[in-house]
């Protein structure tokens, strides 16, 4: 039993026309005209596949293939069609269209499963237009209230609910996914590990927890020509020592601890002015909550100690904390087993970024299948996954879903 | 023989009304309406003092008090009335109005000097509206051509010459300062040394040389959650290690070597994105050209070595070089001698910033007298010099000018 790789390739290529950018990417922001067109196309394909269509109150679009047991919980598969501005053709899309391909394959082969199998296109996963990310999956798993989601506004002040109605995708709350046995999401890795190791399949064990700190370092402004080195309280030098030391903490502590300073903003910026204030972020991730929290404390201690040593004021704000997600161990093992059965190299891997599966895991045992993306590039027009890997990943999804649907 | 401190205080206070900001500073950009008003007021005061008024082709405004010897070279004193946006009341202004006070004192006391004594208000010293700085003094010392100066435009595209004509201060090129024996400029230090050491008079030995480098560090963009630490080529970490190391070079090399990273601009700036590019400036100053040039080379070597170690690309551009200025040793000694004669503590000091005296030194032996400014603050509304120090500095100027004018 294998999916039709050529058909899947054509499906993905056709979908990539909607919101296509000149450099090979797509811009398909949530609830935009392009998002509507993408949904309309997907809906047509789902109807052609004989699926029962359903749209819930957040615009999540479902296609259901009934099972033989009307009481059995469904196997839900899918991802999202929305993109960041000038994003890639694969992020989210592969998961949605691989799900369609699985259901097309069941149809072609006349396979009747015990459990219903449903595919879903979640609304507003990227958070690029309406923030925060993962609104559709967060809505049905009650991470967010309906009114919270409906009142999200984009940069132009346009409301989520108004746009949802405008594009004709406001459905009914009873249509939300329910009685779901498992959720499985296929996605490009968005990191370099599988590509570097040349492994086509990643069985995702979970998603790291994240803490964000916002650090402000205050020194004293001065003129580069008239302030002796010994009299300076240079905020940029102090902040630079902090960033270097944070990088050292990362390499010395647990090898999976990820520490990133991504935002770094000196207040003044002229060659002959000694900077008096720098603000920077620290992003701290680990799969183990305790190690992450120890990392947060180690960073804070380090910042304070360097601040004292350099004679600058340091303030640290805890901006955000998200606990790690641990996916179903048995599903992870199933993905490994199926991959080996199909003859595809597989490795267990941990996700570092939020996905719809993260929230779905709150209401049912969930899992993710990663496939490589070239050089780990994602959220850009260069984003690329090979057709071979997409096909392999979809075959893994096919067999995983089949086995789960027969249990 | 002493100047009239109360009169000088009133003069400075009156001048500070023109372009006054709510927080006690002034905004008096070169060739603006406020600059015109300041010039008009100064011209009125100079005429009241019986000076011969002259305006040259760059708008430099002179007031001359003839000497007994019609052939003798003049003693020129002065500074500038223009300011940076939201600048201080003292930078430049003290030098111009102290010069006026010296000439008022000569008039009051009926002192007739052998040499003529001239005061000058230079045009566009700050470079805040029309760049580069020191256009008026640079013009008459032929550092810049007339056409270069006339074609300078401000941020709105307005030409220097057009504004000079508009405010009525385009004079004649034969009016430029000539047959000048010495130039002496009184100025606030704009640094913390005199204030910290509680010394009212600085005899400025010269002005440091400056080199500017522009450094670009290029790494690889990545996601904070999905890129293992060992696979990163983080431009911000590399740049931070460079900034820290540059600060170390400064403390380990010559103690007077000044190394400043003032501009530091990461390209991307989001908490969860590994930065791929950072651009920063390095400002390198020393009074000794050789030490400065060795410093430049040491910084370049360091940047390249850290770049190799961190696996990032580094490019370094030599943006600007300015050789040091050495003021007349005999004038420096005269300032020290006069200060001691007046009972004021004095120390030799080196200037770290460009001043009109720097260019004037190219055509005649020149010198500067520094007075303290509180905490070294300058180019800000907080800029403050005490009336006592201003009075002392002006008395030193008075006696220096008197002695020079009788030689």
């Amino acid at each position: 039993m294998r999916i039709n790789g050529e058909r899947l390739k054509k499906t993905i290529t056709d979908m990539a026309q909607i919101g296509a950018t000149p450099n090979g990417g797509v811009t398909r922001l949530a609830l935009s005209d392009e998002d509507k067109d993408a949904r309309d196309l997907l809906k047509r394909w789902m109807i052609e596949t004989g699926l029962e269509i359903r749209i819930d109150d957040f615009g999540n679009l479902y296609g259901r293939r009934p099972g033989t047991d009307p009481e059995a919980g469904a196997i839900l598969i899918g991802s999202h069609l929305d993109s960041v501005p000038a994003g890639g053709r694969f992020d989210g899309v592969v998961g949605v269209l691989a799900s369609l391909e699985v259901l097309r394959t069941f149809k072609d082969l006349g396979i009747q499963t015990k459990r219903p199998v449903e595919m879903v296109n979640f609304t507003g996963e990227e958070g690029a237009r309406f923030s925060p990310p993962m609104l559709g999956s967060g809505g049905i798993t009650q991470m967010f209230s309906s009114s919270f989601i409906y009142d999200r506004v984009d940069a132009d002040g346009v409301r989520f609910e108004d746009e949802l109605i405008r594009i004709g995708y406001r459905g009914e709350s009873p249509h939300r996914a329910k009685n779901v046995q498992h959720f499985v999401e296929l996605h490009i890795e968005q990191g370099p590990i599988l590509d570097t190791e040349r492994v086509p399949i990643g069985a995702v064990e979970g998603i790291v927890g994240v803490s964000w700190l916002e650090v402000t370092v205050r020194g004293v402004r001065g003129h580069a020509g008239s302030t002796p080195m010994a009299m300076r309280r240079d905020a940029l030098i102090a902040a630079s020592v902090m960033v270097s030391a944070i990088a050292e903490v990362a390499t010395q502590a647990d090898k999976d601890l990820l520490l990133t300073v991504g935002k770094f903003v000196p207040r003044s910026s002229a060659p002959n002015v000694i900077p008096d204030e720098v603000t920077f972020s620290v992003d701290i991730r680990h799969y183990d909550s305790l190690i992450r929290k120890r990392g947060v404390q180690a960073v804070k201690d380090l910042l304070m100690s360097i601040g004292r040593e350099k004679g600058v004021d340091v303030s640290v704000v805890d901006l955000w904390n998200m606990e790690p997600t641990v996916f179903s161990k048995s599903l992870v093992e199933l993905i490994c087993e199926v991959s080996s059965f199909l003859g595809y190299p597989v490795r267990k891997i941990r996700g570092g970024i939020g996905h719809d599966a993260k929230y779905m895991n709150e209401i049912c045992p969930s899992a993710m299948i990663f496939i490589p993306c070239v050089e780990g590039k994602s959220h850009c027009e260069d984003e690329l996954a090979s057709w071979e890997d997409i096909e392999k990943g979809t075959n893994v999804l096919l067999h995983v879903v089949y086995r789960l649907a027969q249990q």
Side-chain angles (χ1 to χ4, degrees), chain A:
Chain A
M1 183 171 69
R2 293 290 187 278
I3 59 105
N4 181 336
E6 282 308 308
R7 177 172 58 190
L8 177 56
K9 178 176 172 179
K10 182 168 182 348
T11 308
I12 292 173
T13 307
D14 286 353
M15 183 56 80
Q17 302 303 309
I18 299 175
T21 62
N23 298 318
V26 295
T27 295
R28 212 156 51 211
L29 301 181
L31 310 189
S32 65
D33 289 347
E34 292 76 20
D35 190 13
K36 174 188 163 47
D37 290 347
R39 289 159 177 261
D40 288 350
L41 179 59
L42 177 67
K43 197 163 65 177
R44 205 186 77 210
W45 284 336
M46 292 199 294
I47 291 168
E48 288 169 2
T49 311
L51 305 179
E52 296 167 3
I53 304 300
R54 218 167 69 236
I55 301 168
D56 72 19
D57 50 330
F58 304 118
N60 298 313
L61 170 62
Y62 305 87
R64 183 180 176 99
R65 192 168 194 272
T68 52
D69 178 354
E71 303 299 314
I75 306 304
L76 186 64
I77 54 180
S79 192
H80 62 94
L81 290 177
D82 70 320
S83 83
V84 299
R89 288 170 291 161
F90 302 96
D91 177 355
V93 177
V94 166
V96 174
L97 300 183
S99 298
L100 177 68
E101 179 57 33
V102 165
L103 290 166
R104 282 172 166 173
T105 304
F106 285 165
K107 185 187 180 211
D108 291 348
L109 303 180
I111 287 171
Q112 186 58 57
T113 55
K114 178 183 154 205
R115 295 178 182 279
V117 179
E118 267 183 38
M119 66 171 289
V120 59
N121 169 48
F122 285 116
T123 297
E125 194 272 347
E126 291 292 4
R129 182 177 178 198
F130 298 99
S131 175
M134 305 183 287
L135 284 174
S137 54
I140 64 170
T141 57
Q142 298 184 314
M143 307 303 292
F144 310 121
S145 69
S146 297
S147 61
F148 174 84
I149 293 176
Y150 282 165
D151 288 338
R152 300 291 87 200
V153 289
D154 70 7
D156 298 323
V158 179
R159 280 179 79 239
F160 180 98
E161 186 184 23
D162 296 340
E163 281 294 87
L164 190 61
I165 292 168
R166 184 184 70 81
I167 68 164
Y169 276 86
R170 181 177 168 161
E172 305 294 330
S173 60
H175 288 175
R176 295 182 190 177
K178 55 184 171 296
N179 193 19
V180 180
Q181 186 72 12
H182 292 298
F183 175 72
V184 185
E185 181 173 7
L186 174 66
H187 207 285
I188 59 170
E189 182 195 336
Q190 298 185 269
I193 298 173
L194 296 177
D195 185 51
T196 305
E197 299 184 1
R198 310 274 174 211
V199 176
I201 305 294
V204 186
E205 295 178 286
I207 296 177
V208 298
V210 186
S211 295
W212 276 6
L213 304 179
E214 186 175 78
V215 184
T216 304
V217 179
R218 286 190 189 83
V220 176
R221 190 180 159 100
H223 193 291
S226 57
T227 315
M229 296 305 285
M231 287 190 188
R232 298 184 179 195
R233 287 169 59 201
D234 184 321
L236 179 65
I237 290 178
S240 295
V241 171
M242 289 171 189
V243 172
S244 314
I246 287 170
E248 287 301 308
V249 165
T251 55
Q252 283 164 18
D254 188 280
K255 75 169 175 47
D256 294 325
L257 185 65
L258 299 176
L259 290 176
T260 306
V261 177
K263 189 174 166 187
F264 188 95
V265 186
R267 195 170 66 163
S268 62
S269 210
N272 56 358
V273 177
I274 300 164
D276 61 346
E277 190 174 313
V278 177
T279 303
F280 63 88
S281 61
V282 189
D283 174 304
I284 301 158
R285 298 182 190 230
H286 199 279
Y287 192 68
D288 181 320
S289 249
L290 189 63
I291 296 178
R292 184 182 97 254
K293 284 171 184 166
R294 277 191 200 137
V296 169
Q297 194 54 50
V299 167
K300 285 181 178 176
D301 292 347
L302 194 67
L303 296 174
M304 291 305 164
S305 141
I306 294 170
R308 278 190 299 273
E309 186 192 319
K310 296 287 171 189
V312 294
D313 295 326
V314 182
S315 66
V316 182
V317 176
D318 286 280
L319 216 56
W320 183 47
N321 277 294
M322 190 174 73
E323 288 306 302
T325 296
V326 180
F327 288 137
S328 157
K329 281 196 194 333
S330 64
L331 289 186
V332 173
E333 292 307 328
L334 180 60
I335 291 165
C336 292
E337 191 190 320
V338 163
S339 301
S340 303
F341 166 75
L342 293 167
Y344 307 149
V346 60
R347 80 168 340 258
K348 290 178 185 166
I349 189 169
R350 284 162 182 178
I353 309 180
H355 292 286
D356 291 313
K358 176 180 174 63
Y359 286 159
M360 290 306 296
N361 196 55
E362 299 288 326
I363 59 165
C364 66
S366 300
M368 292 189 78
I369 301 161
F370 274 174
I371 59 169
C373 58
V374 174
E375 291 175 19
K377 286 183 191 172
S378 180
H379 281 191
C380 58
E381 293 167 307
D382 290 351
E383 184 183 272
L384 199 65
S386 79
W387 298 115
E388 293 73 16
D389 289 338
I390 291 171
E391 186 173 337
K392 286 175 183 166
T394 309
N395 276 324
V396 173
L397 182 66
L398 175 75
H399 282 262
V400 165
V401 169
Y402 179 76
R403 296 216 198 166
L404 291 174
Q406 299 299 54
Q407 279 175 6

